[in-house]
Amino acid sequence: MTTEQTTGDQPLRPSLWRRIVDSDLFYSFIRSPVVVVSAVLTLIIVLAAAFAPWIAPHTPFNPASLNLMNGFTPPFSVNEFTGDVFIFGTDSQGRDVFSAILYGARVSLLVGFSAVAFAMILGVGLGLLAGYKGGWVDSLIMRVADVQLSFPAILVALMIFGVMRGVIPPQQQDQLAIYVLILAIGLSDWVQYARTVRSSTMSEKNKEYVQAARLFSIPAPAILFKHILPNVTGPILVIATIGLALAIILESTLSFLGVGVPATQPSLGTLIRIGQDYLFSGEWWITIFPGMTLLILALSVNLVGDWLRDALNPKLR
């Protein structure tokens, strides 16, 4: 008698949760305490940023809610004029640093996720096309990728950001700054997706299931997206996870340099840039707490990405 449950002659399929719990990936996850902690920290920051309007005790970028008398209040200290207490202190304008971090993390995560999604769609599409078609199409796409790889990502992003800011009318630059930033980071990061997917596609297109699909006259787009793409998603997920941390850091770097999001919609990088002016004058909390948040977020996502890379590699199982 088998242990598999049956209904008549049809065996019952295990539930989705049971399949997840019984998978090698989940076993590897729970056996790695560092990865579990990193995933939990990442989830906490993402949820805190998503629910910032309900969690933040103040609206830091609404001038009507600010009180200049609360300026430069140290963390966990009572302001001598208003009697208010702020867990992360306040900046020069009396903005609550904790609330500013929550709203700033929303911008950083929005830009990071959107830039990774844009780079992934562009890179995967070009990689599939180059690997499947070959010939001059492959040569053209890969030569463009090689040229872009010869420049640092931040330099490419700065160039694209500068060109877009020169094209957009000045009165619309602040409103479109986030979209320009997403475009700049995404265009600077598509190459690794394209090169990885291209090499996997060149390997997969010569296998029997692809040859059989061609014999049945299945259109090339259907072969690419229904047959080849599902077999190359593992490396894509790894690159996207690690790329998220790099995109967040790149966005923060651009904002720190003053070419990112405007001060009315600051990200973590903008908050660090604002706080550095007061770092050595005693108001250390204005830049330290946003910097620690950025460090924890980037490190946690990187650790999860490293684990995912090893867990999806069958040679390391």
Side-chain angles (χ1 to χ4, degrees), residues 22-314:
D22 292 339
S23 65
D24 293 338
L25 197 64
F26 184 78
Y27 178 78
S28 173
F29 177 76
I30 63 175
R31 294 276 294 179
S32 304
V34 174
V35 178
V36 173
V37 173
S38 300
V40 170
L41 289 175
T42 302
L43 183 62
I44 290 174
I45 294 176
V46 170
L47 291 178
F51 294 100
W54 295 273
I55 298 176
H58 300 87
T59 306
F61 309 117
N62 181 10
S65 65
L66 302 180
N67 187 350
L68 293 177
M69 301 299 291
N70 283 323
F72 295 131
T73 302
F76 297 103
S77 299
V78 178
N79 185 278
E80 59 180 335
F81 300 107
T82 63
D84 294 333
V85 179
F86 303 91
I87 59 173
F88 284 178
T90 62
D91 62 6
S92 59
Q93 300 179 13
R95 293 186 296 192
D96 178 29
V97 174
F98 175 71
S99 301
I101 289 174
L102 293 180
Y103 279 87
R106 296 185 86 192
V107 177
S108 294
L109 288 169
L110 172 63
V111 173
F113 276 112
S114 301
V116 167
F118 174 67
M120 182 169 59
I121 293 173
L122 178 62
V124 169
L126 292 177
L128 287 172
L129 180 63
Y132 190 77
K133 286 293 186 181
W136 67 269
V137 175
D138 179 32
S139 299
L140 176 62
I141 295 175
M142 288 300 103
R143 295 299 76 77
V144 173
D146 291 338
V147 170
Q148 183 164 329
L149 282 177
S150 63
F151 298 95
I154 188 172
L155 184 60
V156 176
L158 281 170
M159 180 183 67
I160 297 172
F161 190 87
V163 171
M164 295 302 297
R165 290 290 290 244
V167 174
I168 298 174
Q171 62 271 19
Q172 298 181 359
Q173 289 183 358
D174 286 347
Q175 291 84 350
L176 300 178
I178 291 181
Y179 302 101
V180 173
L181 199 57
I182 292 171
L183 179 66
I185 297 175
L187 288 177
S188 67
D189 202 32
W190 65 271
V191 175
Q192 55 184 337
Y193 297 95
R195 291 171 67 92
T196 302
V197 173
R198 169 186 175 269
S199 62
S200 299
T201 302
M202 293 180 67
S203 174
E204 294 290 329
K205 73 176 183 179
N206 296 319
K207 293 184 178 180
E208 289 79 3
Y209 72 93
V210 176
Q211 300 296 335
R214 288 174 173 171
L215 289 175
F216 284 101
S217 300
I218 297 178
I223 295 176
L224 287 174
F225 292 102
K226 291 184 178 180
H227 298 281
I228 296 180
L229 181 59
N231 292 305
V232 300
T233 53
I236 295 173
L237 290 176
V238 174
I239 295 174
T241 304
I242 299 177
L244 175 61
L246 297 177
I248 293 173
I249 293 175
L250 182 56
E251 180 278 324
S252 298
T253 302
L254 293 173
S255 297
F256 181 82
L257 295 175
V259 296
V261 294
T264 54
Q265 294 177 304
S267 65
L268 293 176
T270 309
L271 295 176
I272 296 172
R273 176 173 59 85
I274 294 173
Q276 70 154 348
D277 296 334
Y278 308 100
L279 182 60
F280 299 105
S281 62
E283 291 79 20
W284 51 268
W285 59 87
I286 301 177
T287 189
I288 291 297
F289 287 123
M292 290 177 60
T293 304
L294 177 62
L295 174 63
I296 293 172
L297 177 60
L299 181 60
S300 299
V301 174
N302 259 327
L303 290 174
V304 173
D306 289 341
W307 162 78
L308 193 61
R309 177 191 58 199
D310 297 339
L312 294 177
N313 187 350

